[in-house]
Amino acid sequence: MSAISIGQAVVLGAVEGVTEFLPVSSTGHLKIAEGLMGIPVDDDAVIGFSAVIQVGAIAAVLVYFRKDIARIVSAWLRGLTDREERYHHDYKFAWWVIAATIPIVLVGLAAKPLIKGSLASLWVVAGSLIVGSGVMWVADRTGRHKRGEDDTSFKDAMLVGGSQILALLFPGFSRSGATMSTALMLDLDRVAATRLSFFLGIPALTGAGLYELKDALGTGTGAAPLAVGTLVSFVVAYASIAWLLRFVAKHSFNAFVIYRIAVGLLLFGLLGTGVLRS
């Protein structure tokens, strides 16, 4: 019997799709949803399922940004044999994304027991939601928002990519929240920060999903719930990406800050009263 039913897969796929790229913590929301549905948040099959359905959200990014990705990959391939192409920003940016993914891969492999153990607690999620909100508020208020996407550098990519480790170790901090906040502190504008977060998330999240696939299938999660959850995640994430890019072009991140604090406090309340188990 599957550890997750089809109905639960639909709910979790929708939650993943909505929250993966919004700076509100998809991991935190998935764990809250799992807890409310009575699904053990630290079960290997559940952790694997959560990682695999992220691939649906990543697929949405690949489709949404297909023209940008094709341009960057083409520049990278041309640059491998053409010295002149190596001076183009797209060629360098492709290498920066690769380099910026290495830290989170190394930490993810080294800290896997902690990530699947004590750090998976909903208490950690609640605290990380609130702490991450403070970081985001400071970043949005102090960042000068004067640099565009073409102004990004290797240093920017490494710092923003490395910030993904915060979300890996502290579920609830939010990978998108960490990367966007770091980019804002580096004075990128909100749209550039958001797009950089998307591009840096592609290899990290795709790799995590593929790495967890064997565990998800081998510990009680059926292929049907995985397929359904991934499909729902793709559809919802595509709509979420389109909405987020329009939103950040005209608004600050204050709405996300307030929402995260509210969810964090609510989660503390649910845990403290025993409605949810950590």
Side-chain angles (χ1 to χ4, degrees):
M1 180 176 291
S2 173
I4 295 176
S5 69
I6 296 293
Q8 291 171 331
V10 171
V11 173
L12 294 178
V15 171
E16 164 65 23
V18 169
T19 61
E20 180 59 57
F21 300 110
L22 301 186
V24 297
S25 175
S26 61
T27 301
H29 280 75
L30 283 172
K31 289 184 180 297
I32 293 171
E34 290 160 2
L36 290 174
M37 291 190 290
I39 301 172
V41 298
D42 57 350
D43 183 270
D44 285 344
V46 177
I47 294 172
F49 176 89
S50 299
V52 171
I53 63 173
Q54 287 179 335
V55 176
I58 291 300
V61 172
L62 294 175
V63 173
Y64 192 90
F65 292 108
R66 59 190 179 278
K67 293 182 180 179
D68 297 284
I69 294 171
R71 188 190 72 248
I72 293 169
V73 172
S74 296
W76 181 72
L77 291 173
R78 291 194 304 271
L80 294 177
T81 57
D82 187 341
R83 184 185 297 272
E84 292 297 323
E85 290 289 336
R86 296 172 192 172
Y87 294 99
H88 291 181
H89 185 270
D90 286 340
Y91 171 79
K92 292 185 285 186
F93 184 76
W95 277 116
W96 297 345
V97 171
I98 294 171
T101 303
I102 295 175
I104 192 174
V105 171
L106 295 178
V107 173
L109 293 174
K112 187 176 180 179
L114 280 175
I115 295 168
K116 288 192 172 185
S118 58
L119 292 178
S121 167
L122 287 176
W123 289 104
V124 175
V125 171
S128 298
L129 276 165
I130 294 174
V131 172
S133 299
V135 173
M136 185 183 302
W137 183 81
V138 171
D140 200 24
R141 292 293 292 268
T142 60
R144 290 180 287 178
H145 313 291
K146 66 176 185 177
R147 300 171 59 207
E149 189 173 347
D150 291 338
D151 298 319
T152 54
S153 65
F154 175 70
K155 176 184 176 182
D156 296 329
M158 292 303 296
L159 289 174
V160 174
S163 70
Q164 296 178 109
I165 295 172
L166 288 171
L168 184 66
L169 296 178
F170 304 104
F173 202 96
S174 169
R175 189 204 65 83
S176 295
T179 52
M180 291 177 191
S181 295
T182 303
L184 290 172
M185 289 180 182
L186 294 170
D187 294 330
L188 270 70
D189 64 47
R190 295 185 181 100
V191 173
T194 302
R195 284 174 59 88
L196 183 58
S197 175
F198 286 147
F199 290 127
L200 288 173
I202 292 173
L205 294 178
T206 301
L210 295 177
Y211 181 79
E212 295 285 356
L213 181 58
K214 65 181 186 304
D215 292 336
L217 292 174
T219 52
T221 300
L226 277 174
V228 170
T230 303
L231 177 61
V232 172
S233 173
F234 169 81
V235 174
V236 177
Y238 190 91
S240 179
I241 292 167
W243 176 83
L244 179 60
L245 286 171
R246 290 195 301 269
F247 181 85
V248 297
K250 299 179 180 180
H251 302 84
S252 72
F253 284 85
N254 288 345
F256 297 118
V257 171
I258 295 170
Y259 174 79
R260 287 170 57 104
I261 292 174
V263 173
L265 292 175
L266 175 62
L267 183 53
F268 272 130
L270 293 174
L271 290 169
T273 55
V275 175
L276 285 181
R277 297 177 59 187
S278 64

